[in-house]
Amino acid sequence: MANMAQAVRMALHYAEKNLGVTDIFGEDVGPPLGGVFTATQGLETAWNSPLDERGIIGMAIGLAMAGARPVAEIQFADYIYNTIDLLKIAGNTCWTSNGDWNLPMVVKTPVGSGIRGSIYHSHSFDATATHIPGWKIVIPSNPLDAYGLMISACQEINPVMYLEPKALLRVKGEERIPGEPEDEKLLSKMIDAPLGDRSRWKPQWPRLEAYAVPIGKGKVVRAGSQVTVVSYGRTLPLCKKAADELAAEGVDAEVIDMRTLWPYDWELIKGSVEKTGRVLYVNEDTEVTNFGEHLVRRTVEELFYKLVAPPRLLAGKFVPGIGLADTLEMASVPQQGDITAALRSLAAEQP
């Protein structure tokens, strides 16, 4: 099975061949490296930009305004913060022009903890991204969704923020990507660049098929009846494992993968909470002004009389950064044990 980095790469290849993507660029995105996580190796339209995040976003806006369809990468989300004003311009262009101008651009960036990246390579960006109207925001938790969400993003006529959980980029999927060969070693030989001299290397792409995950649609990854847990990105697989572990204790948890942070699938969340009466929102962004707080507020306002326990949020600690030491990183963001304990406590709570 493909891992997430390979899935993103294959989706971008499909997009440049079939969906009109014209430029895939950013720091070290082109040859010879093909991205620090190898997600852009071998792509025909990939090229290297200067180390200038504002230049990257500005170039993407200009290309999109000129009729191109770019995919720009910010190498790590930690370095996207100095582009906020440009992201706001990209987000409001269609609205302020009364629909006369569209910006068909994708900005992809790796987010979150999980690689011992310390203070400058471990930030989340989901809450900040949702504070910028005009953008659609997606974040996959597995390779198949990564493939399908990128294909959908590359068909949008206005900006899409594609957040890649860096802790999951090397994790293999459980479902095959349409067109992916059955032999995963063969896939690696076909599309993974060799070590050393790559000057003559060219990928041998499989015959990939269209597969789009609709933006704005979440997914129930585990059905349950007693408590709902809503998550996305790195923490989603941890929630699934926690729910499976608690099943042995008689706790039946339903797990929802949001997949899209904006527009998000409120009807899916609402239906689950109405069924279970309990909900835990989980992500690794810092807990103050967390996107999960918005979901808690909406849950209270709209579903108050359906609840049998107060909705809860489990998120990252409100600290300036994540430490390099393994113990510090593990303590800074939710881990499986934290999720298991929170779900066990919430399921036991009675009105």
Side-chain angles (χ1 to χ4, degrees):
M1 298 292 185
N3 63 36
M4 188 178 288
Q6 291 172 322
V8 170
R9 193 189 318 157
M10 288 191 284
L12 288 172
H13 169 70
Y14 182 90
E16 64 183 359
K17 287 297 185 182
N18 300 281
L19 303 177
V21 166
T22 56
D23 297 85
I24 301 168
F25 66 98
E27 299 166 11
D28 296 316
V29 164
L33 189 60
V36 293
F37 294 99
T38 72
T40 54
Q41 283 183 350
L43 297 171
E44 290 183 14
T45 63
W47 51 273
N48 295 316
S49 74
L51 272 66
D52 177 10
E53 287 79 18
R54 291 181 62 81
I56 291 168
I57 299 300
M59 176 65 75
I61 292 172
L63 285 168
M65 279 189 165
R69 185 176 280 277
V71 177
E73 178 181 282
I74 301 299
Q75 195 171 74
F76 287 89
D78 309 62
Y79 302 104
I80 201 172
Y81 288 87
N82 69 333
T83 73
I84 294 295
D85 58 331
L86 295 175
L87 297 178
K88 185 171 178 60
I89 290 170
N92 70 26
T93 295
C94 179
W95 187 79
T96 55
S97 69
N98 197 31
D100 288 341
W101 288 91
N102 299 110
L103 290 183
M105 56 183 277
V106 177
V107 173
K108 64 187 287 290
T109 187
V111 297
S113 65
I115 63 165
R116 309 301 177 260
S118 192
I119 191 169
Y120 294 115
H121 298 85
S122 301
H123 275 101
S124 294
F125 190 64
D126 31 309
T128 305
T130 59
H131 293 162
I132 308 174
W135 285 79
K136 293 184 177 180
I137 305 158
V138 302
I139 179 167
S141 67
N142 62 78
L144 183 60
D145 281 353
Y147 181 85
L149 286 169
M150 180 59 79
I151 285 180
S152 290
C154 289
Q155 297 180 78
E156 289 288 326
I157 63 171
N158 282 303
V160 178
M161 183 69 64
Y162 188 97
L163 305 178
E164 302 165 313
K166 63 176 75 76
L168 302 181
L169 284 168
R170 290 286 177 268
V171 177
K172 296 178 181 178
E174 298 179 354
E175 298 176 275
R176 200 173 307 282
I177 291 167
E180 175 190 347
E182 294 186 9
D183 186 345
E184 63 187 53
K185 293 183 179 180
L186 175 59
L187 177 67
S188 181
K189 290 179 181 179
M190 293 172 70
I191 70 170
D192 290 345
L195 299 176
D197 183 14
R198 300 174 177 178
S199 58
R200 298 185 180 180
W201 173 77
K202 290 186 177 180
Q204 303 297 315
W205 298 102
R207 299 186 65 177
L208 297 167
E209 302 172 20
Y211 175 80
V213 173
I215 292 177
K217 292 295 182 183
K219 180 181 180 182
V220 175
V221 298
R222 186 188 190 281
S225 60
Q226 290 179 282
V227 59
T228 299
V229 56
V230 180
S231 189
Y232 50 82
R234 182 193 73 89
T235 53
L236 191 283
L238 301 180
C239 291
K240 174 65 164 54
K241 291 177 182 178
D244 290 341
E245 178 184 329
L246 286 170
E249 302 177 17
V251 176
D252 191 19
E254 181 151 293
V255 182
I256 291 178
D257 186 350
M258 291 187 68
R259 303 197 292 192
T260 301
L261 300 187
W262 191 266
Y264 61 91
D265 196 345
W266 176 245
E267 292 304 312
L268 180 66
I269 297 171
K270 178 182 177 181
S272 180
V273 176
E274 287 178 333
K275 175 176 64 175
T276 66
R278 301 176 176 89
V279 61
L280 172 69
Y281 296 104
V282 182
N283 65 71
E284 63 176 319
D285 207 346
T286 50
E287 59 190 354
V288 177
T289 66
N290 187 285
F291 182 64
E293 291 183 328
H294 160 72
L295 296 173
V296 169
R297 189 268 300 169
R298 189 168 184 182
T299 300
V300 170
E301 286 187 357
E302 298 188 24
L303 303 174
F304 183 82
Y305 293 107
K306 300 289 185 179
L307 296 171
V308 296
R312 296 187 188 178
L313 170 66
L314 179 62
K317 301 296 191 297
F318 190 62
V319 293
I322 291 176
L324 179 60
D326 180 75
T327 51
L328 289 176
E329 180 171 284
M330 297 285 280
S332 299
V333 294
Q335 305 299 329
Q336 184 178 334
D338 303 318
I339 300 167
T340 302
L343 280 174
R344 183 185 291 115
S345 173
L346 182 57
E349 191 164 339
Q350 298 296 322

